[in-house]
Amino acid sequence: TNVVARLNQGLDIGGQPIGAPTAFHIGVAVNPSALDLDHEFRRFQYKVEAGAEFAVTQPIFDVRPLVVFLERSGAKLPVLAAITPLESLRHAEFMANEVPGVYVPDEVVERMRRAEAAGRAAEEGLAIASEVVAGVRPHVQGIQISTAAGALESALGIMKTLAA
């Protein structure tokens, strides 16, 4: 973030002029579900001071930690909530257990387990994502949708939620 902010000022990392300044938009990651929230707040503040212009969250599956994080941080820059529709029980368990920094509540995994047994996991994953979108919209300035490769229908389903 510091390097890009300097480039946008027309300076290299050592403070030497580079000619015309760059015009990058500086986005940073933020994890509202971090296990050590104090550390995450310090890191976020450092990123803001370094020149961050917007932040994108880790995938959100529970609105509460995001709201707490935003209220406590007093974020003055736009925050985009990352939304990832779950495609299957396996995907839910992978996100819950194998992706660092991502919090998937047990209730969400259980919903996906029941839906998988009923043969409707993808639909349930889309319903969960739509519920999360509805919950985060009042608190963030945008939504970033991330789907599995080729899962255009999932992205479109969430976009329909946004249009409603």
Side-chain angles (χ1 to χ4, degrees):
T1 304
N2 280 317
V3 171
V4 176
R6 283 184 178 252
L7 292 172
N8 282 349
Q9 296 167 1
L11 303 171
D12 69 14
I13 194 167
Q16 299 300 311
I18 61 169
T22 58
F24 294 111
H25 290 287
I26 305 172
V28 297
V30 64
N31 184 0
S33 299
L35 294 176
D36 184 349
L37 274 181
D38 290 333
H39 179 69
E40 187 66 18
F41 287 124
R42 285 190 302 273
R43 288 186 52 175
F44 182 60
Q45 186 58 38
Y46 179 71
K47 292 173 184 181
V48 171
E49 290 169 4
E53 297 173 342
F54 67 95
V56 181
T57 69
Q58 290 280 24
I60 302 293
F61 296 96
D62 184 356
V63 176
R64 292 170 299 205
L66 174 67
V67 172
V68 168
F69 182 87
L70 292 174
E71 287 175 353
R72 184 170 165 195
S73 72
K76 302 286 189 248
L77 55 120
V79 174
L80 307 177
I83 304 295
T84 301
L86 299 168
E87 300 291 325
S88 64
L89 174 60
R90 183 176 176 191
H91 187 202
E93 290 174 336
F94 176 78
M95 294 298 287
N97 300 313
E98 303 297 331
V99 181
V102 173
Y103 169 65
V104 181
D106 293 339
E107 307 85 59
V108 169
V109 175
E110 185 55 34
R111 279 179 69 179
M112 291 301 292
R113 181 171 284 109
R114 289 191 306 267
E116 183 97 7
R120 48 178 300 284
E123 293 86 355
E124 188 67 15
L126 184 57
I128 292 166
S130 296
E131 291 166 15
V132 172
V133 166
V136 300
R137 281 188 79 189
H139 306 285
V140 297
Q141 290 67 48
I143 304 292
Q144 182 261 321
I145 303 168
S146 177
T147 63
L152 181 60
E153 291 303 315
S154 291
L156 292 174
I158 294 172
M159 291 172 74
K160 287 178 187 173
T161 299
L162 289 169

